[in-house]
Amino acid sequence: MTERIKAVLDDNEIPRQWYNIAADLPKPMPPPLKPDGSPVGPQDLAPVFPMNIIEQEVSTQRWIDIPEPVLEKLLMWRPSPLYRARALEQALGTPAHIYYKNEGVSPAGSHKPNTAVPQAYYNKVFGIKRLTTETGAGQWGSALSFACQLFGLQCRVYMVRISFEQKPFRKMMMQTWGAECLPSPGPTTQTGRMILEKDPNTPGSLGIAISEAIEDCVTSKDTRYSLGSVLNHVCMHQTIIGLEAKKQMQKFGEYPDIVIGCAGGGSNFAGISFPFVCDKIHGKDLRVIAAEPAACPRMTAAPYVYDSGDVAMMTPLLPMYSLGHTFVPPPIHAGGLRYHGMAPLVSHLKRLDLIEAAALPQLECYESAMLWARTEGFIPAPETSHAIAATIREAKRAKEEGRQKVILMNWSGHGLMDLTGYDAYLAGKLTNYLMSPDEMAKSLKSIEGLPKPPAL
Amino acid sequence: MTERIKAVLDDNEIPRQWYNIAADLPKPMPPPLKPDGSPVGPQDLAPVFPMNIIEQEVSTQRWIDIPEPVLEKLLMWRPSPLYRARALEQALGTPAHIYYKNEGVSPAGSHKPNTAVPQAYYNKVFGIKRLTTETGAGQWGSALSFACQLFGLQCRVYMVRISFEQKPFRKMMMQTWGAECLPSPGPTTQTGRMILEKDPNTPGSLGIAISEAIEDCVTSKDTRYSLGSVLNHVCMHQTIIGLEAKKQMQKFGEYPDIVIGCAGGGSNFAGISFPFVCDKIHGKDLRVIAAEPAACPRMTAAPYVYDSGDVAMMTPLLPMYSLGHTFVPPPIHAGGLRYHGMAPLVSHLKRLDLIEAAALPQLECYESAMLWARTEGFIPAPETSHAIAATIREAKRAKEEGRQKVILMNWSGHGLMDLTGYDAYLAGKLTNYLMSPDEMAKSLKSIEGLPKPPAL
């Protein structure tokens, strides 16, 4: 009999509550601040988010019920399968057992719909008719388009112009799901018009797109804004990944020694890891590793500061590891990992030494992704390749040490919309980007004069 | 409690045998013929296929064991989930229960790996080192590339030149899985050189690509050819779809009144339907519908004849519904359904009135695919949209008649690599293609003079 390589869960085994790690933090996290240094209150966020989401953002309740209409939609692709990567283990000759959670099975191809669906739902029941958001490479924009369609909300996505032009397929996905996808900057907002006047050929940036989406939101009727990562409620929505993984690991009779996820804004990493970090807080012995690009080394090289979430400083100041909000990301293919900051909750856990971080250079990531595709079959997203590279490092270490480590990794999405990166890699056209101390110092200038987080 | 919308099977519930409908045919199927009209024997196929596959091709054994190494690889994505399309039912207001088998979960995104994996395996154990094949839009080429990588075989794919140039992403998938993908016609074969000499700017065709792949196979060492549809063994490998679906329908406590699949070469239709046609042969009352494009109306308009599988007449003559091997398919987006013939087994069942066929025009298919994407979430391949359109027709009829029909459909693959078709549809640029009697008569000229199949 062939050995089991995956564990599936029946529809009735889907978790019915999200896990909120805010309830278990050993030390409190500094609050978000207004530009003048005073704490941000729920009312300050009300023009941008509906109050039911703001309540989740600030909640310290450990378990939060997933509403039935949300569960019904999550069942479209959840519970997602958990695999044991036996073919990869064999190729590496490692005694490690490598497990991965396949989040690429969602309609949009990544973990992003896990939060897009509840966000669309909460806006819907709050009476909101329309959502705005921004997207870089398009993963988040397509996930929110899908979710808005399910609940009958209008959706407008501001997509960084250079991606809009070079990667038309994500735009087509959004339109197929009924959303409007506009190149950013564009003439529909004041911000967009101002920037286009100065530079009609600007490629755009995520910072500009956020500014446009927020401006659209606050100047439109029945409209709110939606964010795909970084915030507490987004991280919480993703914990369904780790909660399912726990049940599935039990079917294999194992518990991880190491949990690994890639980290851009931090939400997929939070999703796989927070339920395990909870165990660690309560005494369990395990390592938790966030894999970030060496080109955007937040938790491996940048300071823990208060910084804005966007270039135009329209968001509150968040306590996080940050490269500075004027950081210009290098052109690595992992578009979803090119953010200047890191989710406050993830940053706080790093500061508390409950998690570690690893910096992975682009070429090692593609080499790892190629090995993955040729053993485990599924072609990973460039973001996911960072988690794979970190996993392979640990599996090789286990081999050197002759120890049978159990590794659990989040396979955050497939790379079928990102094949040009593989093409460039196979043609030898890719390179590593490492941040020099000079670049770091320059990038960090933008946080000068901002409030400092208190000592732990 | 939210209602179940899907049924999953555990790894240990995967079917361990394929179903061979050749064992249950109420009347024998005419044999394949050589050009001179004499029957094709196993030895005639030996230069092109390994003998273990030829044995399957001619077998009349009802159940054939799936080898353990094949099962191990199929478990990478199988058993695939069976869904109840409740959101679509609701949108249609139909009393019908609509179930679908999601074959889009494979690494290559369609049902094609179900046969690519066993074909690569059988070639491997027969001592073959290298496979050649052709591909149109790229679904089959990418599936075989994936399968060859798993078993350490070299793979060369001749891809129709116009697709090679216009749709580079499937080529990138093949290369990521380690295969060689060449534009066809090309300078590596005599056929290719001849055609290029006459017309250096030819867009190529599937017929030319088949000729190149076979020429490469018969003139190279340790090389065989692999076909992704039409043949008996290919249809049999796909029956794992229907066998799983039977177990999963039981979990819902239902049995289908109607089984539907789209039909290009016929293999995904065979896969979902043959295990149910078996029940029909043994007395069960159900309808089985093959959905083909109105632009390529084989079973709905063409005659049952002996015809060649390719333009250059390098294959044996097969008994099938055919538009004639010189048929020039119109440019519908469903590249996988633009074949001139239909699998002999599927054709034979149609002739025996065990199955029916429906012709679906392109616009109805895209309209149906849009409704699907906006209710069930997953974006279907243009081929799959034909099965969806046929399903929606039956669901609407059930509504008119006020009868609670149970419909089972094969969702053969996702459309993430085919978004340009959706873009064209949304821009109002698509049109229907219907074959005129004149075009049909012209196309059928190519079968004049070929042997005729005997009466039933």
Side-chain angles (χ1 to χ4, degrees):
Chain A
M1 169 58 198
T2 311
E3 279 180 294
R4 172 196 285 284
I5 64 164
K6 62 183 175 303
V8 292
L9 296 175
D10 201 66
D11 279 10
N12 61 27
E13 294 176 281
I14 194 169
R16 306 189 152 266
Q17 297 181 309
W18 291 298
Y19 169 62
N20 182 8
I21 201 165
D24 286 310
L25 295 176
K27 293 191 180 180
M29 188 165 75
L33 300 181
K34 293 191 223 179
D36 67 3
S38 64
V40 169
Q43 282 307 329
D44 297 313
L45 300 172
V48 181
F49 299 114
M51 196 49 71
N52 46 10
I53 284 184
I54 295 170
E55 282 164 12
Q56 283 196 348
E57 181 64 16
V58 300
S59 169
T60 54
Q61 195 183 316
R62 181 170 291 112
W63 296 101
I64 292 186
D65 288 345
I66 306 177
E68 284 290 318
V70 171
L71 270 179
E72 186 187 308
K73 299 303 180 192
L74 294 179
L75 284 175
M76 291 170 78
W77 73 97
R78 305 207 70 85
S80 69
L82 177 90
Y83 283 79
R84 174 146 171 219
R86 288 189 194 271
L88 177 67
E89 289 171 16
Q90 208 173 343
L92 294 171
T94 179
H97 291 187
I98 301 172
Y99 292 90
Y100 72 98
K101 187 78 169 149
N102 185 351
E103 291 295 309
V105 299
S106 78
S110 78
H111 65 289
K112 291 288 187 191
N114 294 336
T115 185
V117 166
Q119 288 195 48
Y121 168 78
Y122 286 119
N123 275 283
K124 175 78 176 183
V125 298
F126 194 72
I128 303 303
K129 309 280 186 225
R130 178 171 174 273
L131 287 180
T132 65
T133 197
E134 73 290 331
T135 200
Q139 278 280 16
W140 170 244
S142 52
L144 192 67
S145 303
F146 158 71
C148 284
Q149 177 60 238
L150 296 182
F151 291 107
L153 293 174
Q154 290 178 278
C155 180
R156 180 184 279 180
V157 181
Y158 292 87
M159 186 170 185
V160 176
R161 182 177 288 273
I162 189 164
S163 295
F164 182 90
E165 285 166 0
Q166 292 182 350
K167 300 182 173 180
F169 297 103
R170 284 280 172 192
K171 173 195 72 186
M172 294 178 194
M173 281 177 87
M174 297 181 220
Q175 290 171 340
T176 299
W177 282 318
E180 214 183 343
C181 176
L182 302 181
S184 164
T188 62
T189 66
Q190 204 179 334
T191 309
R193 287 189 295 272
M194 264 177 52
I195 291 167
L196 283 175
E197 206 165 290
K198 281 188 202 159
D199 180 5
N201 298 316
T202 175
S205 75
L206 205 54
I208 296 170
I210 295 180
S211 304
E212 288 200 273
I214 295 182
E215 181 189 325
D216 181 338
C217 159
V218 298
T219 58
S220 303
K221 196 161 166 269
D222 298 333
T223 300
R224 289 293 182 280
Y225 168 74
S226 177
L227 196 62
S229 190
V230 178
L231 298 181
N232 303 344
H233 68 279
V234 180
C235 291
M236 187 188 72
H237 294 159
Q238 295 292 354
T239 59
I240 195 165
I241 301 172
L243 295 169
E244 286 177 6
K246 272 194 174 181
K247 294 191 187 189
Q248 289 164 311
M249 291 293 288
Q250 280 175 3
K251 297 204 176 194
F252 281 98
E254 301 222 78
Y255 187 93
D257 298 303
I258 308 173
V259 177
I260 297 174
C262 64
S267 74
N268 102 73
F269 170 75
I272 189 83
S273 70
F274 282 7
F276 294 95
V277 174
C278 171
D279 295 348
K280 186 166 180 171
I281 291 170
H282 294 96
K284 195 98 185 174
D285 180 28
L286 76 155
R287 293 171 59 207
V288 181
I289 305 172
E292 60 181 16
C296 309
R298 283 82 39 98
M299 291 194 287
T300 47
Y304 183 80
V305 296
Y306 266 115
D307 196 5
S308 169
D310 70 316
V311 184
M313 301 195 71
M314 296 183 81
T315 75
L317 295 173
L318 301 172
M320 59 185 179
Y321 289 93
S322 175
L323 297 163
H325 56 268
T326 58
F327 172 68
V328 180
I332 58 167
H333 277 268
L337 306 184
R338 301 190 305 185
Y339 189 62
H340 67 277
M342 179 56 63
L345 277 170
V346 173
S347 294
H348 189 61
L349 296 176
K350 171 68 172 59
R351 209 179 171 209
L352 293 172
D353 284 332
L354 285 163
I355 65 169
E356 347 169 0
L360 289 303
Q362 176 162 269
L363 290 176
E364 181 180 344
C365 293
Y366 270 97
E367 190 190 346
S368 303
M370 288 296 300
L371 177 61
W372 185 277
R374 293 181 176 191
T375 51
E376 294 298 315
F378 295 100
I379 298 176
E383 292 81 7
T384 310
S385 74
H386 290 71
I388 295 171
T391 297
I392 289 175
R393 281 188 185 179
E394 294 299 330
K396 285 180 175 172
R397 183 181 305 180
K399 183 181 179 181
E400 283 159 22
E401 296 174 355
R403 296 169 70 181
Q404 190 205 288
K405 294 282 181 188
V406 176
I407 305 173
L408 169 65
M409 182 193 83
N410 198 29
W411 202 87
S412 55
H414 67 63
L416 299 186
M417 316 296 285
D418 307 279
L419 288 165
T420 48
Y422 286 88
D423 200 43
Y425 173 75
L426 288 168
K429 290 181 186 163
L430 292 190
T431 178
N432 284 329
Y433 295 91
L434 302 171
M435 214 172 174
S436 71
D438 275 5
E439 288 169 319
M440 177 70 84
K442 190 180 158 201
S443 181
L444 288 174
K445 273 198 187 300
S446 61
I447 56 167
E448 279 174 15
L450 296 178
K452 301 280 174 243
L456 262 181
Chain B
M1 168 61 198
T2 312
E3 280 180 294
R4 171 196 287 282
I5 64 164
K6 63 183 175 303
V8 291
L9 296 176
D10 202 65
D11 280 10
N12 61 26
E13 294 176 280
I14 193 170
R16 305 187 154 267
Q17 296 181 310
W18 291 299
Y19 168 61
N20 182 9
I21 201 166
D24 286 309
L25 296 175
K27 293 192 180 180
M29 188 166 74
L33 300 181
K34 292 191 225 181
D36 67 4
S38 63
V40 169
Q43 282 308 329
D44 297 313
L45 300 171
V48 180
F49 299 114
M51 196 49 71
N52 47 9
I53 285 185
I54 295 170
E55 281 163 14
Q56 284 196 349
E57 180 64 18
V58 301
S59 170
T60 53
Q61 195 182 317
R62 181 170 291 111
W63 296 100
I64 292 186
D65 287 347
I66 306 177
E68 284 290 319
V70 170
L71 271 178
E72 187 187 307
K73 299 304 179 191
L74 293 179
L75 284 175
M76 292 169 77
W77 72 97
R78 307 207 69 85
S80 70
L82 178 92
Y83 283 80
R84 175 149 169 214
R86 288 188 193 272
L88 177 67
E89 289 171 16
Q90 207 173 343
L92 294 172
T94 178
H97 292 187
I98 302 173
Y99 292 90
Y100 73 97
K101 187 77 170 150
N102 185 349
E103 292 294 308
V105 298
S106 77
S110 78
H111 65 289
K112 292 288 188 190
N114 294 336
T115 185
V117 166
Q119 287 195 49
Y121 168 78
Y122 286 118
N123 275 282
K124 175 78 175 182
V125 298
F126 195 71
I128 303 303
K129 309 281 187 222
R130 179 172 174 271
L131 288 180
T132 66
T133 197
E134 73 289 331
T135 200
Q139 278 280 15
W140 169 243
S142 52
L144 191 67
S145 302
F146 158 71
C148 283
Q149 177 60 237
L150 296 182
F151 290 107
L153 293 173
Q154 289 178 278
C155 180
R156 180 184 277 180
V157 181
Y158 291 87
M159 185 169 185
V160 176
R161 182 177 289 272
I162 190 165
S163 296
F164 182 91
E165 285 165 1
Q166 291 183 350
K167 299 183 173 180
F169 297 102
R170 283 280 172 192
K171 172 194 71 184
M172 294 177 194
M173 282 177 87
M174 296 181 222
Q175 290 170 341
T176 299
W177 281 319
E180 216 184 340
C181 176
L182 302 181
S184 164
T188 62
T189 66
Q190 203 179 335
T191 309
R193 287 190 295 273
M194 264 177 52
I195 292 166
L196 283 175
E197 205 164 292
K198 280 188 203 158
D199 180 5
N201 298 315
T202 175
S205 75
L206 206 54
I208 296 170
I210 296 179
S211 303
E212 287 200 276
I214 295 182
E215 179 189 326
D216 181 338
C217 159
V218 297
T219 57
S220 303
K221 196 161 164 268
D222 297 333
T223 299
R224 290 293 183 279
Y225 169 74
S226 177
L227 195 64
S229 190
V230 178
L231 298 181
N232 303 345
H233 68 279
V234 180
C235 291
M236 186 187 72
H237 294 159
Q238 295 293 354
T239 59
I240 194 166
I241 301 172
L243 294 170
E244 286 178 6
K246 272 195 173 178
K247 293 191 187 190
Q248 289 164 312
M249 292 292 290
Q250 281 174 3
K251 297 205 176 196
F252 281 97
E254 301 222 78
Y255 187 93
D257 298 302
I258 308 173
V259 177
I260 297 174
C262 64
S267 73
N268 102 73
F269 169 75
I272 190 81
S273 71
F274 282 7
F276 293 96
V277 174
C278 171
D279 294 349
K280 185 165 180 171
I281 291 171
H282 294 97
K284 196 98 185 173
D285 179 29
L286 77 154
R287 292 172 58 207
V288 181
I289 304 172
E292 60 181 16
C296 308
R298 283 83 38 97
M299 291 194 287
T300 47
Y304 182 81
V305 295
Y306 265 115
D307 196 7
S308 169
D310 70 316
V311 184
M313 301 195 72
M314 295 183 80
T315 75
L317 296 174
L318 301 171
M320 60 185 178
Y321 289 94
S322 174
L323 297 163
H325 56 269
T326 58
F327 172 68
V328 180
I332 59 167
H333 277 269
L337 307 185
R338 299 192 304 185
Y339 189 62
H340 67 277
M342 179 56 63
L345 277 170
V346 173
S347 294
H348 189 61
L349 295 177
K350 171 69 172 59
R351 209 179 172 207
L352 292 173
D353 283 331
L354 285 164
I355 65 169
E356 344 170 2
L360 289 304
Q362 176 161 268
L363 290 175
E364 181 180 345
C365 293
Y366 269 98
E367 189 189 347
S368 303
M370 289 296 300
L371 177 60
W372 184 278
R374 292 182 176 191
T375 51
E376 295 298 314
F378 294 99
I379 298 175
E383 292 81 5
T384 309
S385 74
H386 290 70
I388 295 171
T391 297
I392 290 176
R393 280 187 184 178
E394 294 300 329
K396 285 181 175 170
R397 183 181 304 180
K399 183 180 179 180
E400 284 160 21
E401 297 174 355
R403 297 169 69 182
Q404 190 205 287
K405 293 283 181 188
V406 176
I407 305 173
L408 169 64
M409 182 192 83
N410 198 30
W411 201 86
S412 55
H414 67 64
L416 299 185
M417 317 296 286
D418 307 279
L419 289 164
T420 48
Y422 286 88
D423 200 44
Y425 173 75
L426 288 168
K429 289 181 187 163
L430 292 191
T431 179
N432 284 329
Y433 295 91
L434 302 171
M435 214 173 173
S436 71
D438 275 4
E439 288 170 318
M440 177 71 84
K442 190 180 158 202
S443 180
L444 288 174
K445 273 198 188 300
S446 60
I447 55 166
E448 279 174 15
L450 296 178
K452 302 278 173 243
L456 263 180

